[in-house]
Amino acid sequence: MRYRECVAAGLTAVALLAVAPAEAKKTDVLRQTGSAFSEIAKEALPAVVFIDVETTVEIRGRRYRHPLEEFFGGGVPGYERETPREYQQRGQGSGFIITKDGYILTNNHVVNDADTITVTLGDGREFDAKLIGADPKTEVALIKIEDGAELPTVPLGDSEALEVGEWVLAAGNPFGLSQTITAGIVSAKGRDETGIAEYGNFIQTDAAINPGNSGGPLLNIDGEVVGINTAIYTRSGGYMGIGFAIPIKQAINIKDQLIKTGKISRSVLGVYLQEVSEELAESFGLEEKGGVLINQVVEDSAAEEAGIQ
């Protein structure tokens, strides 16, 4: 009996030794993940800015002329047009500094038609900024802090190297709550059916994105920007687990053109394309769906001149 008891005790000890390290390892992984997120926040958030804009909006109204106005020489009663009125509309969003002298990437809809742009850093410093250029077709905009020098920056990463399921963090100022960071994963890549912009190639993420996050960075686990938070899919007006970000590679291309010329130049091929669905594949006798179909060639275009049909 003693032998059996000793064996049982020994087996129990071995089992405990086998379980304890595994449990400790799981806890360590969680701690390491939390520490990684904290480190990313410390490094990136100083370069994430709050953008406040003012835009002049013109409205035309109609005023009802009371019958007494006719009695006192006011003309015929009824509705009449009023002189256009102007008022200042304020908007808010996010952005991130990419150069020490103050270039900032953000979304077109954050700064579009703005009369004044004010940028606030995480340390409370405020700067006036000017619009360098914007591209509504991709929703990318570039602004610059005036008299910027030795400002904090965040490194740019490789959006093409992202994998579905990879950790990402969204930084910005949702609902005006500055210096906010949320975590999630890459849910999908290459989303072009969102309707957000004419040229869509969006990263989908479940990291919480809300109004005010627009223009902020989407960061990978190395603390590098891999996207610009741009829009959400929602039925409530708030976060529902589906957000979209512009791949940073696409944004860099737009940024380079805006710095160089202040505008975006594109060549036009002159064709309209559609995805080959199962129905189209079957009608063409293809074994599987895939690829694109040219369904229209624009008259007098380069495509027509080249003989594309």
Side-chain angles (χ1 to χ4, degrees):
M1 293 294 294
R2 286 182 180 178
Y3 176 77
R4 290 182 179 178
E5 289 173 0
C6 288
V7 171
L11 290 174
T12 302
V14 170
L16 289 173
L17 287 172
V19 172
E23 291 178 348
K25 189 175 181 180
K26 291 178 182 178
T27 305
D28 287 343
V29 169
L30 292 174
R31 287 199 182 97
Q32 290 170 6
T33 303
S35 296
F37 290 168
S38 296
E39 191 64 29
I40 293 169
K42 288 176 184 177
E43 294 292 329
L45 285 179
V48 178
V49 301
F50 177 79
I51 299 176
D52 189 22
V53 302
E54 284 194 359
T55 306
T56 301
V57 179
E58 183 181 280
I59 59 171
R60 292 177 178 271
R62 293 197 303 166
R63 183 175 68 89
Y64 180 72
R65 186 183 294 278
H66 195 274
L68 287 177
E69 292 187 67
E70 178 188 9
F71 182 80
F72 289 108
V76 180
Y79 284 99
E80 64 174 10
R81 268 185 203 283
E82 283 190 325
T83 303
R85 292 182 296 169
E86 294 183 346
Y87 71 96
Q88 294 300 117
Q89 179 175 286
R90 297 190 65 182
Q92 299 175 339
S94 305
F96 52 97
I97 307 172
I98 58 173
T99 63
K100 289 185 178 296
D101 60 347
Y103 278 104
I104 297 170
L105 279 172
T106 184
N107 281 148
N108 170 68
H109 70 263
V110 172
V111 295
N112 185 38
D113 298 327
D115 297 320
T116 63
I117 304 173
T118 304
V119 171
T120 305
L121 274 62
D123 59 12
R125 287 182 291 168
E126 286 190 3
F127 297 90
D128 293 329
K130 63 179 179 180
L131 178 65
I132 301 301
D135 181 33
K137 291 187 177 182
T138 59
E139 263 300 317
V140 175
L142 183 71
I143 63 176
K144 188 178 187 300
I145 290 177
E146 297 182 344
D147 302 322
E150 295 303 313
L151 295 167
T153 62
V154 61
L156 306 182
D158 182 3
S159 51
E160 290 194 345
L162 275 179
E163 297 288 345
V164 174
E166 185 176 330
W167 279 109
V168 285
L169 287 83
N173 308 284
F175 300 107
L177 300 171
S178 62
Q179 301 292 286
T180 298
I181 197 161
T182 56
I185 62 169
V186 175
S187 303
K189 294 174 61 180
R191 292 293 195 205
D192 61 358
E193 68 274 21
T194 61
I196 300 167
E198 187 171 335
Y199 294 98
N201 181 32
F202 291 92
I203 301 165
Q204 182 183 326
T205 178
D206 65 349
I209 296 174
N210 281 292
N213 269 120
S214 292
L218 186 70
L219 305 157
N220 63 15
I221 55 175
D222 294 315
E224 300 168 332
V225 180
V226 290
I228 304 177
N229 304 322
T230 302
I232 57 175
Y233 175 84
T234 180
R235 293 179 177 175
S236 64
Y239 169 70
M240 291 186 68
I242 300 178
F244 300 101
I246 302 164
I248 196 62
K249 182 176 181 180
Q250 182 180 17
I252 289 172
N253 178 47
I254 300 299
K255 178 263 296 182
D256 290 343
Q257 289 191 59
L258 292 176
I259 290 177
K260 187 176 181 179
T261 65
K263 62 180 181 179
I264 303 301
S265 299
R266 292 185 174 92
S267 57
V268 178
L269 180 59
V271 295
Y272 288 92
L273 307 175
Q274 72 180 85
E275 187 176 348
V276 177
S277 63
E278 290 184 4
E279 292 79 10
L280 279 175
E282 185 178 346
S283 68
F284 285 113
L286 301 176
E287 294 182 357
E288 57 182 22
K289 67 176 183 178
V292 293
L293 170 71
I294 297 174
N295 61 20
Q296 184 180 346
V297 177
V298 178
E299 187 177 353
D300 296 327
S301 67
E304 184 181 63
E305 186 177 342
I308 294 178
Q309 298 181 346

